[in-house]
């Protein structure tokens, strides 16, 4: 009896046993596959830092972090960063915390602006060769707070034919959304006029100079949770991967959609990917559409 109590304690103190239980309970076929996956997180602010922490605790193989900013005391109304990290670059502060949480996760950190000409090539290179063993990454997650950076991530992923997910939290801090972009199969970021995705306004104005945006750790944590849940489902192939999931905190309203690509999208590469996808579907014959 003593031995069985001790072994129960050993199992409980190992975080992987709780994750592997997902497999034993039939939710996921092969949870272990997470250890071979590389996920890129672009922007490790209020949403991205929590996303990185969740993926670290889930035992992802490798994380590649991008952010140009430093931790500020003004960020302390959100989760993850701590006051003693103020002044450090967000990516370095994040790396320091994450390696202590789970040393098995490889962390690569880039402290730069992804949209500048000087950095863009390196950014692309990390998407193509940053995965474990120098392979392509498995998924990119955009957790930035501005339109321009999202447009750049969209362009890079359309060019490279890479699946990514976008996330956003509104300036008033009480609504947010995530969206999956699978080039050619789903809408890309430019397929839908920004006003529709942003609700009540143009996404271009979501981040305005001189305007102090509101932020709540609750909404950011919920959006981060949505994003990582969708990431786990996508990477480990269980459940239904959401195309679009919106959250309005005032009404506790959740909007779920699949967004089809726009045949008149302004992105040339998106149109090309749509044609490739249609040719692939025609060659394979009819298949169940999830998004
Ligand atoms: P706030 O603007 O509310 O003070 P914030 O700048 O930390 O907060 P968040 O929404 O919490 O914004 O996080 C977004 C993150 O995305 C920030 O850390 C920001 O530095 C990062 N980011 C935005 N654009 C880029 C970019 N082009 N390259 C790299 N990181 C970016």
């Amino acid at each position: 009896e003593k031995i069985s109590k001790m072994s129960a304690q050993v199992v409980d103190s190992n975080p992987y046993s709780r994750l592997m239980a997902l497999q034993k309970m039939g939710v996921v076929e092969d949870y272990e596959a997470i250890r071979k996956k590389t996920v890129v997180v672009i922007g490790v602010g209020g949403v991205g830092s929590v996303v990185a922490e969740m993926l670290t605790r889930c035992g992802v193989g490798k994380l590649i972090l991008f952010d140009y900013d430093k931790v500020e005391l003004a960020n302390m109304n959100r989760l993850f960063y701590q006051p003693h990290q103020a002044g450090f670059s967000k990516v370095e502060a994040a790396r320091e915390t994450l390696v202590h949480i789970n040393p098995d996760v490889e962390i690569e950190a880039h402290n730069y602006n992804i949209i500048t000409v000087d950095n863009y090539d390196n950014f692309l290179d990390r998407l193509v060769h940053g995965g474990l063993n120098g392979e392509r990454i498995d998924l990119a997650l955009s957790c930035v707070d501005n339109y321009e950076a999202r447009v750049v991530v969209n362009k890079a992923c359309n060019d490279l034919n890479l699946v990514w997910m976008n996330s956003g939290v509104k300036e008033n801090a009480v609504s947010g959304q995530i969206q999956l972009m699978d080039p050619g199969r789903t809408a890309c970021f430019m397929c839908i006029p920004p006003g529709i995705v942003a609700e009540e306004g143009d996404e271009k104005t979501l981040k305005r100079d001189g305007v102090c945006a509101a932020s709540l750790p609750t909404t950011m944590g919920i959006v981060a949770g949505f994003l990582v849940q969708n990431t786990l489902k996508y990477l480990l192939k269980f459940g239904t991967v959401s195309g679009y999931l919106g959250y309005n905190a005032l009404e506790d309203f959740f909007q779920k959609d699949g967004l089809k690509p726009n045949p008149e999208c302004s992105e040339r590469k998106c149109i090309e990917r749509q044609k490739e996808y249609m040719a692939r579907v025609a060659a394979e014959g009819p298949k169940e559409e999830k998004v």
Side-chain angles (χ1 to χ4, degrees):
E1 196 194 341
K2 201 175 169 192
I3 288 170
S4 77
K5 264 189 193 159
M6 273 166 61
S7 62
Q9 274 171 8
V10 170
V11 170
D12 278 348
S13 66
N14 177 2
Y16 280 113
S17 66
R18 295 303 182 95
L19 295 166
M20 292 310 292
L22 284 168
Q23 204 168 302
K24 289 196 195 99
M25 290 177 178
V27 178
V28 182
E29 212 172 282
D30 177 17
Y31 190 84
E32 201 87 40
I34 193 88
R35 300 173 91 152
K36 297 198 178 76
K37 306 289 181 188
T38 300
V39 178
V40 162
V41 183
I42 306 144
V44 280
V47 173
S49 60
V50 180
V51 163
E53 176 172 348
M54 286 178 175
L55 287 170
T56 299
R57 292 185 190 272
C58 286
V60 73
K62 180 173 176 183
L63 278 177
I64 308 182
L65 313 176
F66 293 92
D67 204 300
Y68 56 65
D69 209 1
K70 287 188 165 62
V71 178
E72 291 174 42
L73 288 176
N75 297 142
M76 296 307 138
N77 70 319
R78 293 106 186 257
L79 304 167
F80 191 71
Y81 294 111
Q82 296 183 34
H84 70 87
Q85 295 175 314
F88 286 93
S89 80
K90 285 184 180 173
V91 287
E92 281 310 328
R95 192 220 304 259
E96 194 193 80
T97 304
L98 299 174
V99 293
H100 283 107
I101 292 174
N102 186 349
D104 291 344
V105 181
E106 194 181 319
I107 314 261
E108 183 180 310
H110 297 279
N111 180 207
Y112 64 59
N113 185 343
I114 60 147
I115 73 172
T116 63
V117 180
D118 288 351
N119 299 325
Y120 186 65
D121 285 347
N122 185 264
F123 174 60
L124 287 189
D125 176 78
R126 300 326 294 145
L127 298 182
V128 179
H129 301 296
L132 290 168
N133 305 320
E135 288 164 6
R136 272 163 81 91
I137 60 134
D138 295 284
L139 182 69
L141 301 176
S142 170
C143 304
V144 296
D145 56 353
N146 62 86
Y147 180 79
E148 289 76 14
R150 291 186 177 107
V151 170
V152 167
V153 175
N154 186 60
K155 186 184 170 345
C157 292
N158 271 334
D159 286 355
L160 301 174
N161 206 2
L162 205 73
V163 176
W164 68 288
M165 292 184 203
N166 185 30
S167 65
V169 175
K170 224 177 147 199
E171 216 176 28
N172 66 9
V174 283
S175 66
Q177 85 283 333
I178 62 155
Q179 187 181 345
L180 170 93
M181 324 270 177
D182 183 355
R185 186 173 72 90
T186 70
C188 87
F189 184 66
M190 301 304 285
C191 276
I192 293 158
I196 294 175
V197 175
E199 301 167 26
E200 299 166 25
D202 187 332
E203 175 133 357
K204 282 182 186 167
T205 64
L206 274 179
K207 174 105 178 162
R208 284 172 289 179
D209 286 341
V211 174
C212 178
S215 64
L216 277 170
T218 47
T219 313
M220 288 180 153
I222 288 165
V223 170
F226 278 168
L227 197 58
V228 177
Q229 201 78 284
N230 220 31
T231 294
L232 293 176
K233 289 194 285 181
Y234 171 75
L235 293 176
L236 300 178
K237 301 182 176 62
F238 67 97
T240 302
V241 180
S242 286
Y244 175 93
L245 183 55
Y247 166 62
N248 178 330
L250 298 181
E251 317 297 336
D252 272 340
F253 174 72
F254 299 86
Q255 185 189 356
K256 195 168 169 284
D257 264 315
L259 302 175
K260 296 260 181 215
N262 176 0
E264 286 164 24
C265 179
S266 58
E267 271 277 310
R268 184 184 50 84
K269 213 58 188 180
C270 173
I271 306 276
E272 260 179 54
R273 297 291 175 217
Q274 291 183 43
K275 287 183 185 151
E276 286 168 13
Y277 175 70
M278 283 188 293
R280 221 168 41 240
V281 169
E284 285 169 7
K287 219 175 162 188
E288 198 190 328
E289 264 284 349
K290 277 199 171 171
V291 175

